[in-house]
Amino acid sequence: MQTYKLIDNAWDNGRLLGYLFYYERSRRFFTELLSDLDEWSSPFMFSGFVAKGIYSIDSFWTDKFVEQRIIPPDRQNLGAILKENGLKEYDEFKLLKLSEGYCAQDEIHIEKVDHDLIVPEIKERLDRKVSDCVAKNTNHVIVFFKDGMVADVEISAAVSGNRIFDNIIRDEELFKTVKVAPGGNGIEWGRERNIPSEQLYALKGQCQFDYTDMISFVNERLVDTAKVCEMLGCSRQYVNQLVSAGKLVPIRSVSNNSTFLKSDIEREDN
């Protein structure tokens, strides 16, 4: 994960607007804005969200924000531009870094920052992101949050009126493919079907987790060393190196086989 400050030079000494997060594995962007912004001081692309009191911006709209600040993929002389900048292929993140986030419509730019140095408000918000989830049945998902809270989410109620979720609720096998969005920014069935973590967190504490749910969690969310190798495309030796370095922590080890939380393998925020 890469973390960048969003700075607006239209203000004296530059105003911190929030942070842009980039997750390399999934190649996706998310934004967290400071809550002292109003619709006039926020980036224009996000003003409608801020007017509604929404400060966590999803991947779709953050991508739109990034698109304003990089060379478009249909640029006539794109090949020459990429070659001139040492790029072998079109890469939104690398192009954004080259431009430092500047564009003609405003005075906002990005600055790399150590993740540990982000302001307390955003750190607290990140602690309320999703750490794991498991499908309970074809209409409920148990959601675990990074601060230890749990929610039993009735999906049909959470997405009421949004018909792109209809086939997911009807199809049990498809419903079970629910996963955590990069950085814990919600749960999703593919990039287009996402329920934000903030909406899910509002339901914290409303959870009934029974024995059947526990069995489902074990089957769906625990993986052994062989599965980890498959997910990461690596050898057992490399997995052992990750464990020795403390970058991967098994929940149980027996002989040369360990059990891990699937979410620890999928996560991109470490």
Side-chain angles (χ1 to χ4, degrees), residues 245-265:
K247 295 182 178 180
L248 194 58
V249 180
I251 61 173
R252 184 171 182 266
S253 295
V254 178
S255 185
N256 67 337
N257 193 38
S258 298
T259 303
F260 302 87
L261 284 169
K262 192 174 185 180
S263 56
D264 285 344
I265 314 303

Side-chain angles (χ1 to χ4, degrees), residues 144-157:
F144 303 89
F145 298 94
K146 294 182 180 181
D147 66 356
M149 293 296 181
V150 185
D152 183 347
V153 181
E154 182 182 359
I155 301 302
S156 60

Side-chain angles (χ1 to χ4, degrees), residues 155-195:
I155 301 302
S156 60
V159 300
S160 179
N162 194 338
R163 301 199 62 180
I164 67 171
F165 287 89
D166 288 354
N167 65 324
I168 291 172
I169 296 173
R170 290 194 299 263
D171 189 326
E172 182 176 357
E173 291 305 311
L174 184 57
F175 191 82
K176 288 181 179 179
T177 64
V178 62
K179 62 183 295 185
V180 179
N185 287 279
I187 61 174
E188 61 184 21
W189 293 263
R191 295 183 62 159
E192 296 180 355
R193 298 175 176 87
N194 177 286
I195 304 177

